[in-house]
Amino acid sequence: MGPGPSNVAPEVLQAMSQPLVGHLDPAFIKMMEELKSMLRTVFMTGNDMTFPVSGTGSAGMEFCFVNLVEPGDEVIIGVNGVFGTRMVDVAERCGARVTKVESPWGQIITADQIAAALKQVPRPKLVAIVHAETSTGALTPVEEISKLTHAAGALLLLDTVTSLGGCPVRLDEWKVDATYSGTQKCLSCPPGLSPVSLSARALEVARHRRTKVQSWYLDVNLLASYWGQERVYHHTAPITMNYGLHAALRLVLEEGLENRWRRHMQNHLALKSALAAVQLELASQEGHQLWQLNPIRVPKGVDELAVRKRLLSDFNIEVGAGLGPLKGQIWRVGLMGDTSARENLRLFLSAFCQVLNECGRPTDVKAAQAAIG
Ligand SMILES: *Cc1c(COP(=O)(O)O)cnc(C)c1O
């Protein structure tokens, strides 16, 4: 119940234990097509260039930046947690001139902040935002930022690593030009692939660069020959991982996106009312709280690390620690993918309340349980 990896269904593990086929085998190629098609459905896009990059979410981040950014390009990046900070590092390594738009950790990036930055930057190439900041639990609204970005002639890049499969991600409706996600958050698959999608506009930009993409491995112009119709060998696809993602996406679509989002919302709301019943609260901004990542504020006088250690050693429950300015201030409780289940929530609450009592913070287990019904 931490910030990922989330629990993985037996069907996915089973798919990953099958004998190998080759990465150019007709059976594998057929599976690749299904994978692309399911990813389009989950991302809610018609983008042709939609496929899983070999590597974790951070590889997808690099994929987007190395393909779209050339040395000297102006890039605006929203920074309100760990992953916005990481995007700045990656963009600078591509030679971008980065303008940071910063919010306190736990708060969202607002459209007004982006509008102000767009006024300062003469020729913005790209605006990059983290949709769901896993380090803080904030969900930044995309639509208004997208309008401003396009009005300024820039591309919109959205990190959907934690949002995909847990809350609405509507690439086409929001006119997102580039996105990367991950398998181990709300898709409930082991880590190892990064689903990405580029709009036709973004693809044009990548195709007509002045300079070569500095990463051979992540160059979309080369990857397109393998994931497109030519099937030219580029690198050996991690075959087993792709079968795992195929099985995980089938489960996502079997449940249905709307049902899945609703499940994530309901379990988040249940946790929130249980916390209120024992005078605890979330540290993320009211009105913009993530369903899949719940940052519980550590009450005064309680040893944050001691609670986390006891949850793990006595109850086999893992929760995440706060990072950066939130270190020692919050516990990060993940309700991602398969982990977002009422029985997990019940187990967590009884264990958590018990540990808090033992750590000297009187907490009414029955009141917390009653609040979630
Ligand atoms: C986890 C995460 C990443 C990085 O993914 P890795 O799989 O750890 O490389 C990037 N962005 C967000 C929002 C994340 O939650």
Side-chain angles (χ1 to χ4, degrees):
M1 301 184 78
S6 56
N7 294 343
V8 176
E11 289 93 327
V12 175
L13 296 174
Q14 202 167 35
M16 295 179 72
S17 65
Q18 299 300 307
L20 284 185
V21 294
H23 60 288
L24 292 168
D25 189 287
F28 188 72
I29 286 172
K30 177 167 171 280
M31 193 276 302
M32 287 164 79
E33 288 306 302
E34 290 170 5
L35 208 44
K36 289 195 291 184
S37 155
M38 287 194 285
L39 281 176
R40 283 188 200 108
T41 307
V42 173
F43 272 130
M44 305 185 81
T45 183
N47 287 343
D48 195 39
M49 192 53 71
T50 304
F51 69 99
V53 162
S54 307
T56 66
S58 305
M61 185 190 290
E62 299 237 39
F63 167 86
C64 289
F65 280 101
V66 296
N67 281 295
L68 299 177
V69 174
E70 297 192 61
D73 283 349
E74 299 272 13
V75 171
I76 295 170
I77 300 178
V79 180
N80 58 344
V82 166
F83 296 104
T85 308
R86 185 173 300 178
M87 289 204 293
V88 171
D89 192 353
V90 171
E92 284 176 349
R93 285 163 194 251
C94 298
R97 290 169 33 204
V98 176
T99 301
K100 283 190 257 182
V101 171
E102 296 184 84
S103 285
W105 289 36
Q107 310 275 307
I108 60 164
I109 304 292
T110 67
D112 286 348
Q113 287 173 286
I114 295 296
L118 284 166
K119 282 203 186 99
Q120 280 167 18
V121 175
R123 285 205 293 157
K125 170 97 169 272
L126 185 74
V127 173
I129 298 288
V130 177
H131 189 208
E133 238 316 337
T134 323
S135 62
T136 71
L139 181 71
T140 289
V142 179
E143 279 180 285
E144 196 52 39
I145 291 177
S146 176
K147 280 186 196 131
L148 293 165
T149 300
H150 291 118
L155 296 169
L156 179 66
L157 165 56
L158 193 66
D159 173 321
T160 55
V161 175
T162 282
S163 44
L164 193 68
C167 62
V169 172
R170 305 175 189 275
L171 289 195
D172 286 3
E173 197 180 314
W174 297 344
K175 299 192 165 56
V176 175
D177 293 294
T179 192
Y180 57 92
S181 189
T183 45
Q184 78 275 24
K185 310 269 165 95
C186 295
L187 298 180
S188 271
C189 182
L193 292 174
S194 175
V196 298
S197 186
L198 296 183
S199 70
R201 233 173 118 231
L203 202 53
E204 277 298 287
V205 168
R207 291 239 154 98
H208 297 103
R209 295 167 56 101
R210 285 176 281 112
T211 56
K212 257 192 184 181
V213 174
Q214 73 265 32
S215 166
W216 176 88
Y217 197 75
L218 296 173
D219 185 340
V220 69
N221 301 299
L222 305 176
L223 288 166
S225 311
Y226 177 56
W227 280 94
Q229 293 314 307
E230 296 166 64
R231 312 293 175 189
V232 180
Y233 162 71
H234 176 258
H235 67 275
T236 311
I239 295 148
T240 299
M241 271 313 306
N242 280 282
Y243 275 103
L245 179 58
H246 187 273
L249 290 172
R250 265 180 45 190
L251 293 176
V252 170
L253 295 177
E254 249 171 57
E255 180 177 9
L257 287 177
E258 310 256 338
N259 293 337
R260 197 173 177 90
W261 299 334
R262 192 175 318 113
R263 172 165 61 81
H264 281 84
M265 179 186 73
Q266 285 169 345
N267 287 322
H268 157 78
L269 291 177
L271 171 60
K272 207 173 152 177
S273 25
L275 292 174
V278 294
Q279 293 77 49
L280 291 171
E281 57 171 16
L282 296 176
S284 42
Q285 185 177 347
E286 195 61 57
H288 299 286
Q289 293 176 337
L290 267 182
W291 303 332
Q292 49 272 61
L293 193 286
N294 297 270
I296 302 178
R297 206 183 288 286
V298 177
K300 280 208 177 62
V302 172
D303 181 347
E304 178 273 322
L305 179 60
V307 170
R308 220 159 15 93
K309 276 190 169 160
R310 287 230 352 216
L311 280 173
L312 188 58
S313 62
D314 299 359
F315 297 93
N316 206 23
I317 296 175
E318 181 198 45
V319 300
L323 301 171
L326 295 175
K327 187 170 191 285
Q329 317 275 306
I330 56 169
W331 295 288
R332 287 185 300 150
V333 178
L335 293 171
M336 297 180 172
D338 284 15
T339 307
S340 177
R342 205 44 72 99
E343 59 271 25
N344 288 343
L345 192 52
R346 276 208 194 89
L347 188 65
F348 168 74
L349 280 174
S350 68
F352 181 59
C353 293
Q354 195 175 319
V355 171
L356 281 178
N357 279 313
E358 286 164 13
C359 289
R361 201 277 189 181
T363 308
D364 186 345
V365 181
K366 288 219 175 80
Q369 292 286 13
I372 68 169

